[in-house]
């Protein structure tokens, strides 16, 4: 009888632990990130990242932005002399400066106008939307050439514009891909996050 009671207790304990794990999994913070661009006659072109809290509990969004990838960055002294190089991430933060509390099922929207984008990358380069959760983990959304999505296939470039601006909008000789943001062994995440060559082109993105 003692043995039977011990077995029943062990099974009950395992079942309770299993229920607790399943409950914690269902209640975990889940953010869904989507990338959009908008143009209108009343407003300048802008990019928008939407973050949906698709979980039964409230959560905190620490950061929202666009991820370009990694670059070799130059380190200079105060006099402008080159000291060395380092590898660093290139991100364009849309907001927030302070963490934002999202209730369960609520949607947050963060916007950045075209004029605020630096001229440091090609207009065909896909940038990937992301949100950072309360634990500092990035949740990845879609990617797209946001500059081209905002200005269209005929950007308003004049012959006397700065060379770097004209180069930014010139049709490239190669196809630009978004950065790889997840290791290849994470088979449970979307393929294009692990293998940039699986990136689905946006309409009109022939290169």
């Amino acid at each position: 009888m003692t043995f039977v009671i011990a077995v029943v207790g062990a099974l009950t304990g395992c079942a309770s632990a299993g229920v607790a794990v399943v409950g914690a999994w269902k209640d975990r913070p889940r953010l869904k990130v989507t990338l959009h661009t908008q143009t209108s006659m009343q407003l300048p072109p802008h990019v928008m990242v939407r973050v949906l809290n698709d979980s039964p509990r409230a959560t905190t969004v620490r950061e929202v932005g666009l991820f370009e990838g990694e670059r070799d960055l130059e380190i200079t002294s105060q006099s402008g002399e080159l000291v060395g190089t380092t590898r660093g991430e290139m991100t364009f933060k849309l907001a927030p400066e302070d963490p934002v509390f999202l209730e369960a099922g609520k949607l947050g929207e963060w916007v950045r106008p075209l004029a605020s984008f630096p001229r440091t990358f090609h207009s065909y380069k896909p940038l990937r939307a992301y949100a950072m959760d309360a634990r500092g983990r990035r949740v990845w959304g879609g990617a797209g050439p946001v500059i081209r999505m905002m200005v269209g296939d005929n950007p308003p470039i004049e012959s006397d514009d700065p060379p770097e601006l004209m180069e930014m909008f010139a049709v490239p000789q190669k196809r630009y891909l978004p950065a790889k943001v997840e290791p290849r062994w994470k088979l449970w995440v979307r393929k294009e996050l692990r293998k940039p060559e699986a990136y689905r082109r946006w309409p009109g993105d022939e290169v």
Side-chain angles (χ1 to χ4, degrees), residues 36-57:
H36 309 269
T37 58
Q38 292 185 350
T39 58
S40 69
M41 298 297 293
Q42 293 78 26
L43 297 173
H46 59 273
V47 63
M48 175 188 299
V49 175
R50 290 175 174 161
V51 181
L52 172 65
N53 179 16
D54 188 29
S55 64
R57 294 185 180 181

Side-chain angles (χ1 to χ4, degrees), residues 182-193:
E182 295 285 0
R184 291 181 178 265
W185 54 266
K186 283 191 176 182
L187 300 180
W188 59 89
V189 302
R190 297 199 311 275
K191 187 176 182 180
E192 72 169 43
L193 301 179

Side-chain angles (χ1 to χ4, degrees), residues 52-103:
L52 172 65
N53 179 16
D54 188 29
S55 64
R57 294 185 180 181
T59 189
T60 299
V61 177
R62 293 177 54 182
E63 185 178 303
V64 176
L66 301 170
F67 183 82
E68 178 190 355
E70 292 187 347
R71 287 192 193 181
D72 290 325
L73 306 175
E74 295 183 346
I75 302 174
T76 58
S77 64
Q78 293 183 348
S79 62
E81 181 182 357
L82 178 63
V83 176
T85 59
T86 186
R87 192 77 175 168
E89 289 185 351
M90 298 297 294
T91 59
F92 303 93
K93 297 179 183 179
L94 274 68
E97 292 186 2
D98 297 316
V100 171
F101 190 71
L102 272 186
E103 295 284 356

Side-chain angles (χ1 to χ4, degrees), residues 86-136:
T86 186
R87 192 77 175 168
E89 289 185 351
M90 298 297 294
T91 59
F92 303 93
K93 297 179 183 179
L94 274 68
E97 292 186 2
D98 297 316
V100 171
F101 190 71
L102 272 186
E103 295 284 356
K106 294 299 183 180
L107 179 71
E109 295 181 342
W110 288 271
V111 176
R112 185 166 182 176
L114 173 62
S116 68
F117 276 80
R119 301 175 185 178
T120 57
F121 60 94
H122 202 279
S123 62
Y124 277 69
K125 173 66 178 178
L127 306 180
R128 186 169 298 280
Y130 73 89
M132 186 176 292
D133 65 14
R135 298 176 62 182

Side-chain angles (χ1 to χ4, degrees), residues 136-158:
R137 298 174 301 186
R138 283 197 181 115
V139 179
W140 301 105
V146 295
I147 299 296
R148 289 192 59 245
M149 291 161 61
M150 285 187 281
V151 302
D153 295 328
N154 297 305
I157 301 297
E158 303 292 341

